[in-house]
Every structure is written in structure tokens, then in C-alpha cells.
Amino acid sequence: MDANLLVALDALLAEHSVTRAAERLRTSPAAMSRTLARLRRLLGDPLLVRAGQAMVPTPRAEAMRDEVAAVVRRCGALLSPGEDVDPLTLHRTFTVQAADIVAAALAPGLLDLAAAEAPGVSARFRAEELEGGPALRDGQVDLEVGALDHADPETRTEPLVTLHMAAGVRAGHPLTEGRLTPARFAAASHVVVSRRGRFTGPADAALADVDLRRRVVAVLPSHLTAMTLAARTDLVCLVPGGETGPMTEAARALGLRLLEVPLPLPPVVIGMAWHPRNSADGGHSWLRSAVRRALGEELR
């Protein structure tokens, strides 16, 4: 059965009139009369019969009227565009994948917004062990926040903020005295952050352009661990976020001094990524809005 026939049947049983049913569905009486004839053949029942100047339903039509109306309402709700979700009614746990320093900057503001706007929402933060895999596609992760250089072709992405790198050193470090030159920067010992265990990065390429090379004595997978090490030693650690912003609050809390790097290092673009199946979801839309406000707008 054509589902449109259910809509026509609902109108006919509600109006008891071909003409009024046609007006209700914005079609012609002739078209509605043909539809009634088709329904009679399919159901083996006259449905509506003339009684003087009016039409009255048969017993079978009377019996099915409420159920037909309910089915049509359910179909309409099923096929209508999704409605906006009231965050106050949300009861969901969202999984966000982010590097530790991004999560440290994002979590306080995001949880404050959830408490104020969506108290039924909780957040699960995961490290970047699923980066580059199908986590977004498979639904293991709802949102990824960080440097997005590995997204699948269908993944939706949105840039949030562009950051510059600063050199983090302990208070009283020799580099805090006098002008920081590329040569002095290279002569210091460094700790590098790399999840893949790499000793080199953009800073080494920039130093090579001026015939300099730094000494890396440690490689760590975590920004927060590297900053802690720099705060307790004479090692230099690169910190994303420049001299101000939520990304650098953890560095300042550890007592690090943040110095401008005397090299043309490429900026780091922090964005968020999600699978397109979540684009129209009201709850996920609130999550993206909250991340923009908790992280992006504060850094602009």
C-alpha cells in the first residue's frame, strides 16, 4: 500500500466528505474521489456511503478510524525534520578525544556550561590513542578536539583557534635573562612532546634554516608531563598558546616562564571534528556550541 493512501484515508474518515478531505490535503475532489475508489478496492469495503446529502462511515471505517489517525501521526513525527533539543532535557554522556593540554583548557569551561545549561550531560575525555582511526566513524568518539591533520574524507571539521608556540622554562632559567636569540635557544637542552616518539619537529626545521641544531634530551607523549619536567629542570619545553590564553594556564600554574620563540614556527590550528551523522543531532549541536564557547571564543 502506498503510504499516501493512509493520509487520504485519515482525511476521509475524519471529514466524512470527499470535498472536505480534498481541501484538507490541497488536492481536487476528482483526485480524492479516485483515491477513495482505490481504497475501497484495496480494503474490500465501501468505507463511506451516501445517506441523503451526507456520507457516513461503514462499521469497518468506524473501527479503523482512530488507529489510522494514530499511524499517520506517528509517520508524520518519524519523517518530520528533527526538532531542536532543550539542553535541560538532555541525559547523555559525550566522549571527547583531546590531547591532555587541550582537555585541561577545555574541561573546566565545558563542565561549567553543562552544569548551567545541560545538567544531565557528562563528559568522558579520552587521550589521542584513537587518532587517525575510525573512532568518529564507529561512534567510539563523539567529538575530537585538537590539531586535525588526519581526518577521514567524510569527517566534518571546524577550526576554533590558531595558536603560536612559546618556550616554557623554569623561573630563574638562564634564558630568562637577556635577549633570546636562535643561537641561545638552540644551545639549551630541550624536552620534546611527541606521541610517536619523534625527536625532531618544526623547531628543528626552523633551526636548520639558520644552520643551528638543538639538543633534545627527552621525548614525552604528554604536554603536561613535559611542562612539569621543564618546571623542575633546565630543559626547555614548547607550549602551544603563546604568552596568554587557557592553553597556557597549566604552564603558569607549574611556575613556567613563557618566552617568545625567536624562530618563524608554523602556527597550530586547533579545531573540532565529528562524523556527519551527528551534524543534525540536537544534543551534539549543543556539544559543539559549548566547545566553541568554552575553548574557541576564549582564545580569540
Side-chain angles (χ1 to χ4, degrees):
M1 177 180 283
D2 183 346
N4 288 319
L5 290 178
L6 283 175
V7 178
L9 180 59
D10 178 45
L12 287 163
L13 298 183
E15 300 292 346
H16 294 180
S17 165
V18 170
T19 301
R20 290 196 300 271
E23 291 174 352
R24 179 171 169 173
L25 299 184
R26 299 181 182 179
T27 187
S28 69
M32 184 57 69
S33 182
R34 290 192 296 269
T35 299
L36 176 57
R38 186 178 174 191
L39 285 165
R40 285 168 169 166
R41 290 193 301 271
L42 284 170
L43 298 175
D45 189 273
L47 299 175
L48 293 174
V49 297
R50 189 162 297 283
Q53 297 298 316
M55 298 190 78
V56 296
T58 66
R60 184 176 184 193
E62 285 280 11
M64 65 173 22
R65 179 174 57 191
D66 291 343
E67 186 173 356
V68 169
V71 169
V72 170
R73 284 196 302 270
R74 289 197 297 270
C75 287
L78 178 65
L79 299 178
S80 63
E83 297 179 355
D84 292 337
V85 171
D86 182 357
L88 288 172
T89 67
L90 277 178
H91 291 277
R92 289 172 64 176
T93 296
F94 291 108
T95 300
V96 179
Q97 178 170 285
D100 57 353
I101 192 170
V102 177
L106 172 61
L110 180 61
L111 296 179
D112 283 346
L113 286 170
E117 301 175 8
V121 164
S122 57
R124 176 193 296 115
F125 285 90
R126 295 191 64 163
E128 296 170 295
E129 73 273 12
L130 300 176
E131 183 183 79
L136 288 172
R137 182 186 300 163
D138 294 346
Q140 299 177 66
V141 172
D142 295 299
L143 193 69
E144 183 177 344
V145 182
L148 308 174
D149 54 1
H150 53 270
D152 293 327
E154 77 270 18
T155 300
R156 303 287 176 85
T157 62
E158 178 183 326
L160 293 171
V161 65
T162 299
L163 302 176
H164 298 279
M165 304 298 287
V169 296
R170 65 168 178 82
H173 192 285
L175 292 185
T176 61
E177 301 295 332
R179 176 171 169 265
L180 181 57
T181 64
R184 293 185 67 203
F185 177 81
S189 296
H190 292 254
V191 54
V192 167
V193 178
S194 172
R195 296 185 306 279
R196 299 176 177 85
R198 296 172 179 169
F199 275 76
T200 59
D204 300 281
L207 286 170
D209 288 340
V210 291
D211 296 325
L212 292 172
R213 184 177 179 180
R214 65 176 175 167
R215 180 169 181 259
V216 175
V217 300
V219 179
L220 296 172
S222 161
H223 281 92
L224 294 179
T225 305
M227 289 190 296
T228 301
L229 181 61
R232 298 178 178 179
T233 66
D234 278 342
L235 296 180
V236 179
C237 175
L238 291 179
V239 179
E243 297 183 5
T244 60
M247 290 284 192
T248 59
E249 289 181 3
R252 295 187 185 281
L254 290 168
L256 288 177
R257 290 280 306 277
L258 298 177
L259 310 175
E260 183 176 353
V261 178
L263 296 166
L265 299 184
V268 178
V269 178
I270 300 296
M272 58 181 173
W274 66 95
H275 194 272
R277 70 169 175 273
N278 291 318
S279 293
D281 178 73
H284 201 280
S285 179
W286 176 87
L287 173 65
R288 299 195 302 272
S289 172
V291 168
R292 289 187 198 100
R293 289 176 286 156
L295 180 61
E297 292 180 7
E298 292 186 21
L299 289 171
R300 293 187 192 281

